[in-house]
Amino acid sequence: MELLTKMKEEGLAKIKDCCDIASLQQIKVDYLGKKGSIQELMKQMKELSQEERPLFGKQVNELKEVFENAIEDQKQYLEEKQMKERMEQEKIDITLPGLRPHLGTLHPLTRIQQEIEDLFIGLGYSIAEGPEIEFDSYNFERANIPQGHPARDMQDTFYIHGDLLLRTHTTAIQTRQLEKYAPQAPVMVICPGKVYRRDDDDATHSHQFTQIEGLVIGEQVAMSDLKGTLELMAKKMFGDKRTIRFRPSYFQFTEPSVEVDVSCHICNGKGCHVCKETGWIEVLGAGMVHPHVLEMAGYDPKKVSGFAFGVGVERVAMLKYGIDDIRHFYMNDIRFLKTFTRFE
Ligand code: DAH
């Protein structure tokens, strides 16, 4: 009996002091296993007298139960403790500031193009596109630039073969639109797109750039309509205080033709290095659609008239954002592009 009491005290103490599940398992084997202490005690029963045996057996069984319960309790305690520790370790501090995902920004050329498109969509225009690989006829012939004209010079145009070339201006979209709608009126379209010229690339020239063409056809469309429209565009691009002026010019597909200047947005027209002290910046070409161009498309120039304009998107972006080299737009230098996040 003494032995039992001693074993009970010792065993319970061991179980209670045990602080990990693996050692607890070992204790279980030591006491309750096939070769464990309880089993040893059972063997000793043989040496006891007949009378003593039942009591001893009962006591050993009780002890076994005590150990089993104590081990189970300790196991539960250790498991809970382990779980608590893990929770503590893996705790997420939800009050920490998060990591901001890196967001891109619109390319400055896309931004200008969208601004212009938005303005004209608001005025009731639709957007039209055309192929970059174009027929000679749409790029030149129907724009009143016949064979042998200097504007067709091999120097300026990337020819593919025969009649095919890379369009040199979005006026090629204009002639396609005229052909598509003739003899219907009114027509109000904005035609954005890439154009190509055989230029050597430098700070102000690129063999590929972007233009936006505007075209309006209708009865009694007048030059004053062109002027009002372009003034609106100038204000949208360079601010509400801008005014415009027309200077006479020459394009084969418009008559009369004008070069359009916008009052300088840097000095407000006083004169600075950007406007070369003139107070004006040349921004685009425009004019009244040439009667011959209308005719070639299938319109009767006695019944309808129209205006057209062509603007270089890179030039507008360079002026607006103070960019001094056109090549920045095409280099994909993330440091350059990042500076436009401030316009978001
Ligand atoms: N196509 C001309 C160019 O590339 C730009 C232009 C001028 C377009 C006058 C027009 C216009 O529609 O009326 O230089």
Side-chain angles (χ1 to χ4, degrees), residues 168-172 174 195 197 209 211-214 251 253-254 257-259 284-289 307-311:
T168 58
H169 53 184
T170 45
T171 305
Q174 183 196 143
V195 298
R197 302 229 179 133
F209 57 102
Q211 283 188 333
I212 297 180
E213 191 92 358
F251 297 104
F253 32 89
T254 43
S257 302
V258 288
E259 210 82 64
L284 55 95
M288 300 309 288
V289 180
F307 67 70
F309 60 87
V311 58

Side-chain angles (χ1 to χ4, degrees), residues 270-308:
K270 284 191 210 78
C272 67
H273 70 285
V274 174
C275 58
K276 300 191 187 90
E277 308 301 332
T278 64
W280 295 95
I281 299 174
E282 185 193 318
V283 177
L284 55 95
M288 300 309 288
V289 180
H290 198 292
H292 191 219
V293 171
L294 288 174
E295 231 165 36
M296 279 188 284
Y299 280 105
D300 179 353
K302 289 190 199 77
K303 288 195 183 139
V304 295
S305 55
F307 67 70

Side-chain angles (χ1 to χ4, degrees), residues 18-28 78 82:
C18 173
C19 23
D20 67 281
I21 300 220
S23 335
L24 189 66
Q25 189 58 33
Q26 192 52 52
I27 293 173
K28 191 174 174 181
L78 287 177
Q82 211 175 43

Side-chain angles (χ1 to χ4, degrees), residues 15 34 44 58 65 78 103 114 143 166 169 208 275 319:
I15 292 168
K34 272 187 193 151
Q44 283 178 27
K58 198 176 158 230
E65 233 178 272
L78 287 177
L103 283 185
Q114 285 184 355
L166 291 181
H169 53 184
Q208 179 215 294
C275 58
L319 288 168

Side-chain angles (χ1 to χ4, degrees), residues 80-307:
E80 267 167 37
K81 196 173 132 212
Q82 211 175 43
M83 179 61 97
K84 249 191 221 158
E85 277 168 8
R86 224 178 108 188
M87 298 288 250
E88 202 57 42
Q89 256 173 25
E90 294 177 5
K91 198 156 101 181
I92 295 167
D93 183 355
I94 55 164
T95 64
L96 274 175
L99 296 173
R100 257 176 207 286
H102 174 70
L103 283 185
T105 178
L106 286 181
H107 191 281
L109 296 179
T110 309
R111 187 186 303 274
I112 300 278
Q113 184 173 325
Q114 285 184 355
E115 272 174 24
I116 295 176
E117 284 176 3
D118 284 353
L119 168 73
F120 283 99
I121 287 170
L123 294 174
Y125 287 60
S126 40
I127 309 289
E129 292 185 334
E132 287 169 36
I133 297 174
E134 187 53 285
F135 289 112
D136 178 291
S137 63
Y138 290 111
N139 196 77
F140 291 130
E141 204 74 40
R142 283 162 175 273
N144 213 17
I145 309 172
Q147 292 277 349
H149 194 281
R152 289 179 160 230
D153 198 296
M154 283 291 285
Q155 291 292 62
D156 298 327
T157 309
F158 287 113
Y159 282 95
I160 295 173
H161 58 73
D163 272 356
L164 280 183
L165 45 81
L166 291 181
R167 70 180 173 205
T168 58
H169 53 184
T170 45
T171 305
I173 313 179
Q174 183 196 143
T175 58
R176 277 182 176 269
Q177 291 296 304
L178 285 170
E179 185 192 49
K180 178 181 154 193
Y181 284 104
Q184 284 169 34
V187 176
M188 294 166 88
V189 283
I190 284 294
C191 319
K194 291 192 191 92
V195 298
Y196 302 84
R197 302 229 179 133
R198 275 187 67 175
D199 267 331
D200 288 329
D201 292 356
D202 61 25
T204 53
H205 294 83
S206 167
H207 62 280
Q208 179 215 294
F209 57 102
T210 321
Q211 283 188 333
I212 297 180
E213 191 92 358
L215 171 70
V216 171
I217 302 292
E219 285 172 25
Q220 295 179 331
V221 173
M223 202 142 184
S224 51
D225 299 317
L226 172 64
K227 196 160 186 190
T229 307
L230 292 181
E231 189 160 317
L232 213 62
M233 184 162 88
K235 287 185 194 307
K236 170 85 176 178
M237 291 185 301
F238 297 108
D240 285 343
K241 291 209 200 102
R242 301 283 65 83
T243 51
I244 59 167
R245 72 174 184 189
F246 281 0
R247 277 182 295 111
S249 184
Y250 175 76
F251 297 104
Q252 301 76 30
F253 32 89
T254 43
E255 181 58 38
S257 302
V258 288
E259 210 82 64
V260 184
D261 296 343
V262 176
S263 61
C264 181
H265 58 295
I266 303 292
C267 62
N268 266 328
K270 284 191 210 78
C272 67
H273 70 285
V274 174
C275 58
K276 300 191 187 90
E277 308 301 332
T278 64
W280 295 95
I281 299 174
E282 185 193 318
V283 177
L284 55 95
M288 300 309 288
V289 180
H290 198 292
H292 191 219
V293 171
L294 288 174
E295 231 165 36
M296 279 188 284
Y299 280 105
D300 179 353
K302 289 190 199 77
K303 288 195 183 139
V304 295
S305 55
F307 67 70

